[in-house]
């Protein structure tokens, strides 16, 4: 039997980690449009404050990783995200005459937060289920749209145009109204195509499994009702 203080501390720690995971999910998704705005040199007090808040969330998550039973690789990954999402990083690179690396840092940051939010989804939703598959699909579209915009801003024209292109590409519809021509853009397209095939196959299987399970539950309930009636008749 658990002692009082130890049990209480365990519950508090679990709840704190759940809140941290929720904050990481929100912060990671919010990072995508903020990175796009930063690439377009759009800076306001609101975006600046949001960047610092997101960075603090990632910093807290890094500290939490040292309390979780995670490997060294996970801790190093969290540390890399903290470094890449540091709001003053572009200014530091500019002072070091490495401003061209800012674009690479943005790409790495977007890819990194995508992986980070998937880890948070795994801890909150589990690896299976319709919600997890839908979350991966939505995240893939958002990140894919942001990455293709960073690769070809003039050709894509805007972040939401990139999201539209990502939806069309992920679903393998391929209207062709937007088509990347650069190596980076085409690489993103190939990854989205491969991810889309697997995701929508899994999504279809999850939906089918949901309805099959619902039908099985209904049949089981009817059998239990009939058994209850038989027991009542036997008692009489």
């Amino acid at each position: 039997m658990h002692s009082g203080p130890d049990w209480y501390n365990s519950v508090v720690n679990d709840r704190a980690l759940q809140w941290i995971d929720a904050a990481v999910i929100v912060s990671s998704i919010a990072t995508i449009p903020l990175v796009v705005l930063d690439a377009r040199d759009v800076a306001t007090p609101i975006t600046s404050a949001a960047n610092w808040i997101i960075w603090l969330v990632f910093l807290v998550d890094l500290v939490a990783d040292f309390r979780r039973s995670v490997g060294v690789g996970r801790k190093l990954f969290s540390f890399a995200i903290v470094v890449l999402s540091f709001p003053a990083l572009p200014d530091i690179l500019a002072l070091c005459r490495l401003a061209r690396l800012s674009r690479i840092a943005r790409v790495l940051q977007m890819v990194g937060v995508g992986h980070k939010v998937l880890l948070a989804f795994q801890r909150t939703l589990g690896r299976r289920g319709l919600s997890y598959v839908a979350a991966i699909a939505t995240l893939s579209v958002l990140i894919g749209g942001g990455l293709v915009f960073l690769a070809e801003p003039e050709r894509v024209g805007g972040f939401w145009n990139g999201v539209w292109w990502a939806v069309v590409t992920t679903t393998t519809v391929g209207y062709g109204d937007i088509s990347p021509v650069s190596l980076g853009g085409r690489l993103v397209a190939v990854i989205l195509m491969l991810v889309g095939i697997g995701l929508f196959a899994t999504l279809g299987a999850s939906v089918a499994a949901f309805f099959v399970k619902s039908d099985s539950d209904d049949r089981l309930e009817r059998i239990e009702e009939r058994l209850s009636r038989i027991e009542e008749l036997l008692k009489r």
Side-chain angles (χ1 to χ4, degrees):
M1 184 174 180
H2 297 290
S3 61
D6 292 338
W7 177 83
Y8 177 78
N9 291 333
S10 177
V11 171
V12 170
N13 289 334
D14 289 341
R15 289 182 178 177
L17 292 176
Q18 289 175 359
W19 279 106
I20 292 173
D21 285 336
V24 167
I25 292 173
V26 174
S27 299
S28 298
I29 295 175
T31 297
I32 300 171
L34 287 173
V35 170
V36 172
L37 290 174
D38 182 58
R40 302 180 67 175
D41 294 327
V42 177
T44 65
I46 295 177
T47 58
S48 178
N51 280 321
W52 280 106
I53 292 173
I54 289 172
W55 181 77
L56 288 174
V57 170
F58 291 152
L59 182 62
V60 171
D61 184 61
L62 173 62
V63 175
D65 277 345
F66 282 91
R67 303 202 53 162
R68 294 187 179 107
S69 298
V70 298
V72 178
R74 178 79 63 84
K75 295 175 182 177
L76 291 175
F77 174 74
S78 297
F79 177 75
I81 294 298
V82 170
V83 173
L84 291 172
S85 62
F86 186 56
L89 181 61
D91 296 331
I92 295 174
L93 292 175
L95 290 174
C96 298
R97 297 182 180 180
L98 298 173
R100 292 182 179 181
L101 293 179
S102 295
R103 189 173 183 178
I104 300 176
R106 294 189 190 105
V107 173
L108 293 176
Q109 179 184 356
M110 193 173 292
V111 174
V113 297
H115 182 63
K116 193 170 189 65
V117 74
L118 285 181
L119 294 176
F121 273 131
Q122 287 179 3
R123 290 191 292 263
T124 55
L125 299 177
R127 296 188 178 213
R128 298 179 181 179
L130 186 61
S131 299
Y132 181 64
V133 176
I136 295 177
T138 304
L139 187 64
S140 300
V141 167
L142 293 175
I143 293 179
L147 288 176
V148 78
F149 173 74
L150 292 178
E152 303 181 27
E154 295 82 7
R155 190 174 184 83
V156 175
F159 171 68
W160 293 113
N161 288 339
V163 171
W164 162 251
W165 169 85
V167 170
V168 171
T169 303
T170 305
T171 55
T172 66
V173 175
Y175 285 123
D177 52 342
I178 300 175
S179 55
V181 295
S182 66
L183 177 61
R186 289 180 176 178
L187 182 60
V188 174
V190 170
I191 294 174
L192 278 181
M193 291 175 194
L194 296 176
V195 170
I197 293 172
L199 273 180
F200 282 91
T202 306
L203 187 61
S206 299
V207 172
F210 173 78
F211 285 109
V212 169
K213 183 177 183 300
S214 298
D215 186 54
S216 300
D217 292 341
D218 291 339
R219 290 181 180 179
L220 183 61
E221 288 180 1
R222 289 196 295 268
I223 292 173
E224 289 177 349
E225 289 178 0
R226 290 176 183 177
L227 290 174
S228 298
R229 293 175 184 175
I230 293 173
E231 288 179 357
E232 291 179 358
L233 290 175
L234 291 175
K235 289 178 180 179
R236 292 176 184 176

